[in-house]
Amino acid sequence: MEHIRVPKVENVCLVDRFSARKKVVGTLYLTSTHVIFVDPEGHKETWISHMHIGSVEKKTATANGCPLQIRCKNFLNVTFIIPRERECQDVCSSLITLSQPENLEDLYAFHFTASDATNRQNGWDFFDLKSEYLRMGVPNDNWSLSTINKDYELCDTYPRFLYIPATASTPIVLGSARFRSRGRLPVLSYLHRENQAAICRSSQPLSGFSARCEEDESLLQGIRKANPSSKYMYVVDTRPRINALANRATGKGYENETFYSHIKFKFLGIENIHVMRSSLQKLVEVCELQNPTMSTFLSGLESSGWLRHIRSIVDTSAFIARMIQEGVSVMVHCSDGWDRTAQTCSLASLMLDPYYRTIEGFQMLIEKEWLSFGHKFTERCGLIAGIEPKEISPIFTQFIDCVWQLTQQFPMSFQFNERYLLTIHDHVFSCQFGTFIGCCEKDRIDLRLRERTYSLWGYTSKYTSNFSNPFYQKSLEISQPIIVPVINPQSFKFWRAMYCRFESGVHPRENIIDIICMMKDHTESLDDHKKLVEKRIAVLNKLLGYAYGEESLMQAIQNLSSSESMDFRALLLNNTDNKNSEEIIKSSGTSPNSHVKNCLENYAEPGFEDGGTTRMSKSLVKDGVVSSGVNEADPVQIEQLLKELQSVAIEWKSLRNAVICSCAMPFEQHSKKHHCWCCGDIYCNRCIDRYVPLPGHDSSRPVPVCKACYKRLKYSPSPSVDDFQKLQEQA
């Protein structure tokens, strides 16, 4: 809080970039973690995490005030007009300091506490590197587990457990590590279980113009021989050849083909981090154009080269996947083996293995290729102050974009949706979770992230339904296990949801994925409710003396749909022969519920003989009493019947007109809009974090409800029999 010079500024104007007339006046708050703009008239709040802020610029003051432009790493761009220049300067200085902590331990993750008392350990133990390699069938006769790096002495940016050819001795491993940049020697990344072709990864060799290393040559021969089905292997250098040649002058470079027999070498031309950084800057400038023409936008998109770079990464990954599919092992490297190598190895694995195309598998892929084998998230994402600007580059952003391109070509092969990719990308920069803090496995152990921070995977596991793709076909894991994308230029798309996510008016009014998911959930809710209602109607049908059958059941449903038959008190009393039955019930001191029980005892449902009992018939009647779908031992009272009917929303509100939650949180284009299964209203993530079984559902499985319905279901008294009349009037 000591960095906040001014915690609150009144009469701040939020400017719409596309229309100067659309201005919203409100209050700007600065907290230790967020900038919050509150619009009192529109009951709307705009939250910006400090860690998402990429740059803050104070512009020249005007007659209306002093503009302050904030550009964010998640591509949000907002401008506030602050009345007084002094306050604008204070806000600007505060945000620059808060968005660039001095140390890693000052990041948000080390101070964040979940509001729902989530266990801090949840998610950290979801994945284990050894278990993942066991899934691939390693160790085996050709590949062995090495503990030579257990204390991170061989290579401090590699995981402690390495998988190497079984023929590789310790001297060979040590010699190869000395010959590779930063000690990142060739190790196994992915093994195809069927043909034993392997993807290995490393950094560039320290070959210079003429140096060689026999240990490194032996290790690569061991990788080749670990695949008995092929007489050769590929070494893929993801860099342009000219870049690799330039590195020779610094004592690095690439392998000399003369020294590596039975190995083919291929350069695939992915540009370096500096070119990628410049490309993204140009793309952002194009996206921030005010009222661009078609030609201006398209020419700007082309000149940025962004899609060309995305295609180059996917093309390289597809080549690796094709070689593995053909049974040829591939060793991949770039310069230091943690940027382009991480991109291509993970994408090739994604194409080859359907497990990585599931929600759980994709998390495992990131854990293995990006977190265990190392990627400089701290530097590439610019998480703390003091990072050299030339080290910042959108490497992980490109990876997420490439995955999205694959989901567009194979929409039924991925279990996760677009929102899942955006959520992961957002939290790489938000630093709310410790998952992406640090540059390698050793860094995260030294920082004790497991004990001190939350895991992103623990968070996403709570909201799996938010990230599920309704078009996913699990059967494709067998019929189409390998996906190789089309790399024609026209097959690559501009990802509007990523780079223009916060721009109003450029997205469809409704997200088709959300509409399909809503219809699916609503149908499931109604089907579940229908099953329970049919059981209750069947019992009432028996109570009226009808035989239990499909025709009589349908007739009973039609009868009960009329307003007259909705009076259940009259329905029950009319079953008696005594015209003054109501007086008899009152004089006898019995309640209508007891009368229901007495009436039910006179009837026995057919089909209860041994061997002919069904689940449905058992749940209808037990000892002559209507039984609950939740617990058959509990008799259902009339009040319970009413509670069942009132607990399920028959109609759900449309997503189209939902622009803001009741808590004042606005629904952005790609924010998940949740329906309460009890009342049918729409809420945000914060307001619908309760899951309880609804009395009106037969399955008794927990479903999402809003806070108000949660309290009503848990703590409100049971409805009275007289409430049936209210239900009748509402019908």
Side-chain angles (χ1 to χ4, degrees):
M1 295 295 289
E2 65 273 11
H3 300 301
I4 301 177
R5 299 185 181 183
V6 51
K8 177 182 177 181
V9 183
E10 301 278 2
N11 299 317
V12 175
C13 180
L14 175 61
V15 180
D16 188 310
R17 290 194 303 110
F18 296 98
S19 176
R21 297 180 180 179
K22 293 182 180 180
K23 297 180 179 180
V24 179
V25 178
T27 304
L28 190 69
Y29 296 90
L30 267 68
T31 72
S32 59
T33 59
H34 290 80
V35 182
I36 307 172
F37 178 78
V38 179
D39 169 20
E41 294 186 2
H43 304 288
K44 183 178 179 181
E45 297 178 3
T46 301
W47 290 58
I48 304 173
S49 168
H50 293 328
M51 294 309 304
H52 272 155
I53 295 176
S55 66
V56 184
E57 182 182 358
K58 174 180 169 292
K59 296 183 176 293
T60 305
T62 64
N64 296 325
C66 188
L68 183 71
Q69 186 177 34
I70 300 176
R71 286 189 173 94
C72 296
K73 299 171 185 176
N74 61 347
F75 306 106
L76 171 65
N77 182 359
V78 295
T79 300
F80 296 108
I81 297 180
I82 299 175
R84 288 175 289 277
E85 186 173 4
R86 175 71 183 189
E87 289 181 329
C88 184
Q89 182 61 49
D90 288 342
V91 172
C92 181
S93 300
S94 299
L95 291 180
I96 291 175
T97 303
L98 292 167
S99 63
Q100 297 179 349
E102 293 292 331
N103 304 303
L104 284 174
E105 296 188 3
D106 295 329
L107 293 174
Y108 181 29
F110 292 96
H111 309 285
F112 168 69
T113 301
S115 58
D116 57 355
T118 300
N119 186 353
R120 199 180 292 270
Q121 303 299 318
N122 186 30
W124 286 112
D125 56 353
F126 281 5
F127 307 103
D128 176 70
L129 195 61
K130 284 185 175 181
S131 300
E132 173 57 14
Y133 278 96
L134 282 173
R135 187 188 68 84
M136 291 187 278
V138 182
N140 56 30
D141 293 340
N142 298 317
W143 294 92
S144 62
L145 168 63
S146 173
T147 58
I148 194 171
N149 196 45
K150 63 179 181 179
D151 297 321
Y152 304 104
E153 293 179 354
L154 180 69
C155 178
D156 60 358
T157 59
Y158 263 2
R160 64 174 63 189
F161 300 115
L162 302 177
Y163 291 84
I164 58 177
T167 58
S169 63
T170 298
I172 288 177
V173 172
L174 293 174
S176 179
R178 287 192 295 267
F179 187 66
R180 293 283 169 172
S181 176
R182 301 183 184 273
R184 296 172 66 86
L185 72 158
V187 293
L188 180 66
S189 169
Y190 175 78
L191 183 67
H192 195 281
R193 291 185 66 104
E194 295 182 4
N195 59 27
Q196 294 298 297
I199 299 176
C200 295
R201 56 181 295 172
S202 73
S203 61
Q204 65 183 336
L206 305 179
S207 56
F209 289 102
S210 59
R212 66 178 294 186
C213 175
E214 293 183 359
E215 292 86 356
D216 189 73
E217 296 164 17
S218 297
L219 183 57
L220 261 66
Q221 292 301 326
I223 293 174
R224 178 182 66 82
K225 293 176 181 178
N227 178 14
S229 62
S230 179
K231 296 181 179 180
Y232 69 95
M233 65 172 285
Y234 266 100
V235 170
V236 170
D237 193 327
T238 61
R239 302 169 293 178
R241 180 184 288 270
I242 190 172
N243 293 18
L245 284 170
N247 282 342
R248 278 192 164 187
T250 63
K252 300 177 183 179
Y254 57 93
E255 295 83 357
N256 190 326
E257 297 183 29
T258 305
F259 304 139
Y260 295 86
S261 60
H262 304 288
I263 295 178
K264 298 181 179 182
F265 296 87
K266 190 174 184 66
F267 291 92
L268 285 170
I270 302 175
E271 297 292 349
N272 61 28
I273 61 173
H274 314 295
V275 174
M276 300 306 187
R277 179 177 60 252
S278 175
S279 177
L280 182 62
Q281 289 173 349
K282 293 177 182 178
L283 179 69
V284 171
E285 290 173 2
V286 172
C287 295
E288 292 180 353
L289 291 173
Q290 293 187 7
N291 302 318
T293 62
M294 178 66 78
S295 60
T296 301
F297 179 80
L298 293 179
S299 61
L301 181 61
E302 168 62 23
S303 62
S304 73
W306 184 255
L307 287 180
R308 185 169 64 254
H309 298 315
I310 295 297
R311 178 182 179 273
S312 177
I313 297 168
V314 174
D315 188 12
T316 301
S317 306
F319 172 80
I320 297 170
R322 284 195 299 270
M323 291 303 100
I324 299 298
Q325 188 177 13
E326 294 173 8
V328 180
S329 294
V330 181
M331 203 271 282
V332 185
H333 72 73
C334 51
S335 295
D336 290 325
W338 50 32
D339 291 320
R340 289 165 280 197
T341 302
Q343 290 175 330
T344 53
C345 286
S346 52
L347 286 170
S349 299
L350 192 72
M351 297 173 192
L352 291 166
D353 197 329
Y355 170 66
Y356 293 136
R357 299 194 287 271
T358 65
I359 292 177
E360 175 188 310
F362 190 68
Q363 294 172 3
M364 182 69 250
L365 182 67
I366 292 175
E367 284 280 342
K368 177 167 66 77
E369 300 292 347
W370 293 85
L371 301 178
S372 294
F373 281 107
H375 174 68
K376 300 200 293 185
F377 282 103
T378 301
E379 296 183 13
R380 296 292 182 257
C381 301
L383 299 183
I384 58 176
I387 299 295
E388 294 186 27
K390 68 178 183 179
E391 290 296 318
I392 299 173
S393 189
I395 302 302
F396 193 77
T397 299
Q398 286 183 319
F399 166 68
I400 294 294
D401 195 329
C402 290
V403 175
W404 180 80
Q405 300 289 344
L406 294 178
T407 65
Q408 298 304 293
Q409 292 197 28
F410 303 94
M412 295 185 293
S413 296
F414 291 82
Q415 187 186 24
F416 50 84
N417 58 23
E418 180 180 71
R419 182 178 292 110
Y420 183 63
L421 298 175
L422 292 173
T423 300
I424 292 176
H425 182 267
D426 284 353
H427 285 299
V428 167
F429 295 98
S430 74
C431 296
Q432 181 177 340
F433 304 95
T435 304
F436 295 99
I437 295 176
C439 298
C440 57
E441 185 178 281
K442 182 177 182 297
D443 284 354
R444 297 179 183 94
I445 292 176
D446 292 342
L447 289 167
R448 296 189 297 112
L449 295 178
R450 282 176 174 264
E451 298 91 39
R452 303 172 64 189
T453 66
Y454 292 88
S455 168
L456 174 61
W457 313 135
Y459 166 79
T460 56
S461 67
K462 294 170 52 181
Y463 302 103
T464 304
S465 60
N466 292 8
F467 309 127
S468 297
N469 173 19
F471 303 115
Y472 173 62
Q473 298 291 329
K474 190 172 178 61
S475 59
L476 292 177
E477 293 183 5
I478 299 175
S479 61
Q480 191 182 10
I482 298 177
I483 58 172
V484 179
V486 178
I487 58 170
N488 296 331
Q490 59 268 33
S491 300
F492 291 85
K493 305 176 182 179
F494 170 72
W495 192 3
R496 179 183 57 200
M498 169 73 92
Y499 308 109
C500 298
R501 189 188 346 172
F502 302 98
E503 307 300 345
S504 58
V506 301
H507 303 284
R509 287 190 298 177
E510 297 166 329
N511 187 317
I512 185 64
I513 299 294
D514 286 348
I515 293 176
I516 298 297
C517 289
M518 182 205 72
M519 295 173 62
K520 180 174 176 288
D521 290 344
H522 195 187
T523 302
E524 287 180 1
S525 177
L526 293 178
D527 284 344
D528 207 349
H529 185 52
K530 171 176 169 283
K531 290 179 182 178
L532 186 68
V533 171
E534 284 181 345
K535 292 180 180 181
R536 301 296 180 248
I537 291 176
V539 173
L540 291 174
N541 198 19
K542 291 182 64 61
L543 185 65
L544 295 172
Y546 299 125
Y548 183 72
E550 182 177 354
E551 295 182 0
S552 59
L553 179 60
M554 295 305 298
Q555 183 62 42
I557 293 174
Q558 294 177 4
N559 292 339
L560 290 173
S561 64
S562 65
S563 59
E564 181 180 356
S565 59
M566 285 297 288
D567 189 342
F568 280 84
R569 184 190 295 271
L571 178 67
L572 298 177
L573 295 178
N574 287 338
N575 190 56
T576 65
D577 296 331
N578 195 314
K579 296 181 180 180
N580 299 321
S581 55
E582 186 168 8
E583 286 77 5
I584 294 176
I585 293 174
K586 291 181 180 179
S587 62
S588 64
T590 61
S591 65
N593 291 313
S594 300
H595 184 64
V596 173
K597 180 175 180 178
N598 295 334
C599 292
L600 288 170
E601 288 176 346
N602 296 326
Y603 300 97
E605 184 179 1
F608 273 64
E609 298 83 2
D610 292 340
T613 307
T614 64
R615 178 181 180 274
M616 181 173 179
S617 60
K618 282 184 177 179
S619 62
L620 286 174
V621 178
K622 188 177 183 71
D623 297 329
V625 181
V626 183
S627 297
S628 169
V630 177
N631 185 350
E632 295 182 1
D634 298 333
V636 173
Q637 309 294 327
I638 291 181
E639 291 84 353
Q640 178 65 19
L641 292 174
L642 178 60
K643 192 173 184 179
E644 291 172 355
L645 294 173
Q646 292 181 330
S647 67
V648 178
I650 304 302
E651 295 183 0
W652 284 11
K653 286 191 175 180
S654 171
L655 297 176
R656 173 171 294 185
N657 299 321
V659 295
I660 189 170
C661 180
S662 59
C663 70
M665 177 64 70
F667 290 122
E668 303 295 347
Q669 174 61 29
H670 293 276
S671 299
K672 175 66 175 179
K673 301 174 184 177
H674 299 269
H675 278 92
C676 171
W677 290 35
C678 182
C679 65
D681 288 340
I682 299 174
Y683 298 91
C684 67
N685 264 338
R686 296 187 304 179
C687 297
I688 197 160
D689 58 351
R690 304 290 195 277
Y691 283 74
V692 295
L694 296 183
H697 280 169
D698 181 58
S699 65
S700 302
R701 67 185 180 96
V703 297
V705 296
C706 63
K707 294 179 180 179
C709 289
Y710 177 81
K711 292 179 180 178
R712 180 168 60 83
L713 291 169
K714 285 291 185 181
Y715 307 114
S716 62
S718 299
S720 64
V721 179
D722 294 333
D723 287 335
F724 278 109
Q725 187 63 37
K726 295 180 182 179
L727 187 63
Q728 172 188 354
E729 294 172 357
Q730 293 174 0

